[in-house]
Amino acid sequence: MRFLYTLVLSLFFSTFFSNGAEAQSNGRISGVVSDKITQQRLTGATVTLVGTNNRVITDTAGAFRLTGIPLNTYTLEISMVGYKKISLYNINITAGNETNISIEMEPDAQQLTGVTLKVNKRTVRAATLETPLSVQRLTTEEIKSNPGSNFDISKVIQTLPGVGGGAQGGNFRNDIIIRGGAPNENVFYLDGIEIPVINHFQTQGSSGGPQGILNVSFIEDVKLSTSAFDARYDNAMSSVFQFKQKNGNPNRFQGNVRLSATELAATLEGPLSRNKKTTFLASARRSYLQLLFSALDLPIRPNYWDFQTKITHQIDKKTTLSFLGIGAIDEFRFAPIKDATPEKAYIINSNPLINQWNYTAGVSLKRLIKNGFMNVAISRNSFDNDIQRYEDNEAQIASQQTLNYQSRETENKFRFDVNTNVKGWKLSYGLVAQYVQYDNNTFNVIRKEIRDNSNNIIQPAVTARFESPLQNFWRYGAFVQTGKRFFDNRLGVSAGIRTDMNSFTTDGNNGLKTISPRIAFSYVLADKWTLNASLGRYYKLAPYTILGFADNTGRLVNQNSKYLQSDHYVTGIEYLPNDGLRFTLEGFYKKYANVPVSVRDGISLSNLGSDFNVLGNEAVVTNGKGRAYGIELFAQKKLTNRFFGIFSYTFYRSQYSGNNAVFIPSSWDNRHLLSVTWGYKFPRNWELGLKFRYQGGAPITPFDETASRINYLSLGQGVLDYSRLNTTRLNAFHASDVRIDKKWNLRKITLDLFLDVTNWYLAKSPAQESYTFKRNATNTGFETTDGQPIKANGSNAIPVRLANDDAQATPSIGFIIEF
């Protein structure tokens, strides 16, 4: 009914608006142009809408505004003497919202001896002097129009090279697996402020969850670096995400409302002062998945809210103050079902009940200085996680509770950095300090005491019960990064170094143990060809779940944990045949040391973190090793002549060792990642997008038949046999998504009606089978071998497997109203 209601309402609006003239000329675009290195506003830059006579010169504040634009999709060109021309593709001009963008221009390089650099070819590039390779960039239009993503940035980036989505291809969860690394090896920055939580129902100690938090209406572009990290970023092992938010529109109040099959979201923006020096962005989103799952008679009831805001104030020509806030509230519950099946009954007791909330709030000050700028940022983020589980999650009998986990992580952060240019050398340096607060109260029945039919103990109880005594502690670090171009700008060299320390771990105050140097080279072979290489060492502090774990006597057992270490070696070549087309080919090798290994299970924790439990709440030793290596091919065509596309292929291997020091395939060793995305803009505002993804079969671990039988009734699921870790594989994952958009423009309103279908050709989604006991005909209990009630040790149960590879297509019909 919800789908039908949305469709009828959307068709009503589309019919009502169909009389609006499509050939209007009331579009608007505005923005500011700055020097990328110094951040100084640029006066006299020429801003042109390609294919039209619309052109304007930036004023003394670097600002521009074009009005009376025919509604269409354009390429925006920005040029100025002494700077490289910039082409921004896929600029969608509508009647509803005024497009507002911030543009940064690079100083123009000199012509090479014997080589003419056509600088506009760099507009399709995402590389910088600091990160000349292993970097991609997506614009807001590319994110919004991505098929199957449901406006979720974490799903969109799975189209990029080296990015996997976990065992099930990322259809259900946003477990971002990059170049074979674990899902907790990524860091996320929003306008320079770190945001540790970007997903609803996030796995604590890891980073994945089923739905992203960030509002795509706030995002101007996303930059993903998978190696050659700038030294300013700490804790990066596999990637750095840099989300650049747009500023609120200084000229008018505007907004949008988005209604889809799963959620309702609203965004507002505009000026807060008459002089246009203060602007705001604000949004709220509410899911109604619980209504959808109720209609489908599924026992789960996920529910979430999220909020986001940004306020920008220009104090004077040299100083800008910004405030940002983002937060979410998540609740995961169960409800009675009308038509019981073995699959529905299994879901209820195999998953926990979850209550989470989180927020990040921060203030940043940018001050222009001679030949550069400085940033000061103060922020606070907190993540509260309450997880409960019972032998029967419906009855919730206190004596049968198997998990009661309550934890909160809070970080208070100060960041300071200076970015300048000294005699042709690009120089940045800075420091960071964090005050960490962590609470953890755990009761966890890992194994229940089990007796045989003669009342003999065949399995002693194993229970974790503690309140973490971890005291508040400090984290601090410092960095320097510098770079320069040589030989008539043919060779670019960038080098950096940082160190990180903390006041808790045994060797945490020894900054020499976390010295992390890195260097990158970029060499222009010819007009269209560039050779790149980088190598670096990176460190990451163990998750707070590991640091704060205590045994049942209250002793912190992981205080001697070392920083996880990863050495990267990357080389590649980039080919730019024209200003809207880019090809890259890269080879990489990552070597890990000091990987946390479970004392209880003997396996590397880098194999875990893709479920709805907690990663790292156990005793570990940091003596594991790992390695990942492979090659990547990437091609990207920006929107020109109505068509855009992305192709990426990665072949890689990912391996980790446990307490036996033997390398075996990791849980992320899919080996093959293929993604093809293309889109076409038809006349009269019709758009079509199609995406295909292929991911090699993921390694899985078989069940321990004996342990599964005797523990199933208390745990609600089977027990994996970690002595055979990742010895079998799932079938390969593949799926295709399609998206169709139709826009209507009235005088001041734009309606976008969309249909987004995930897995439209009904491919099976490979997943590990579920271990359970055979149920009776009414699904109210279990069948037994002797006809008697089932025994606590499962000795008279009938073990069976439930397949999890059903083919499901997920349609989402909705609309976006811009006003």
Side-chain angles (χ1 to χ4, degrees), residues 168 171 343 759 762-767 803-809:
Q168 294 178 267
N171 261 6
E343 290 78 11
N759 192 25
L762 292 173
K764 288 190 174 183
S765 180
N804 290 316
D805 60 351
D806 292 342
Q808 294 183 346

Side-chain angles (χ1 to χ4, degrees), residues 423-450:
K423 296 183 179 180
W425 286 88
K426 190 176 180 181
L427 175 66
S428 60
Y429 55 90
L431 54 87
V432 59
Q434 302 182 37
Y435 185 63
V436 178
Q437 300 163 285
Y438 179 76
D439 299 308
N440 181 351
N441 196 322
T442 293
F443 168 73
N444 185 16
V445 178
I446 300 168
R447 298 287 186 270
K448 195 174 182 179
E449 181 184 283
I450 301 295

Side-chain angles (χ1 to χ4, degrees), residues 110 167 181 224 260 267 276 319 322 363 460 463 524 556 575 599 644 678 719 739 782 803 814:
Q110 298 175 2
L224 168 64
S260 71
T267 302
K276 301 181 180 182
T319 312
S322 298
V363 178
T463 302
V524 178
L556 293 166
Y575 174 56
V599 172
F644 66 91
W678 68 268
V719 177
R739 180 184 173 99
F782 296 102

Side-chain angles (χ1 to χ4, degrees), residues 14 287 299 318 390 403 424 532 569 582 706 776:
S14 67
S287 78
K318 292 187 175 183
Y390 300 82
L403 176 63
N532 305 298
Y569 308 88
R582 177 186 180 218
T706 300
N776 57 27

Side-chain angles (χ1 to χ4, degrees), residues 357-379:
W357 58 258
N358 71 84
Y359 69 83
T360 298
V363 178
S364 62
L365 181 74
K366 177 185 289 186
R367 173 74 177 176
L368 303 187
I369 59 177
K370 183 179 180 180
N371 297 323
F373 62 98
M374 56 172 257
N375 285 312
V376 178
I378 300 174
S379 65

Side-chain angles (χ1 to χ4, degrees), residues 686-702:
W686 284 93
E687 298 179 24
L688 174 66
L690 189 66
K691 178 170 65 179
F692 173 80
R693 289 179 298 132
Y694 174 90
Q695 186 169 289
I700 58 173
T701 302

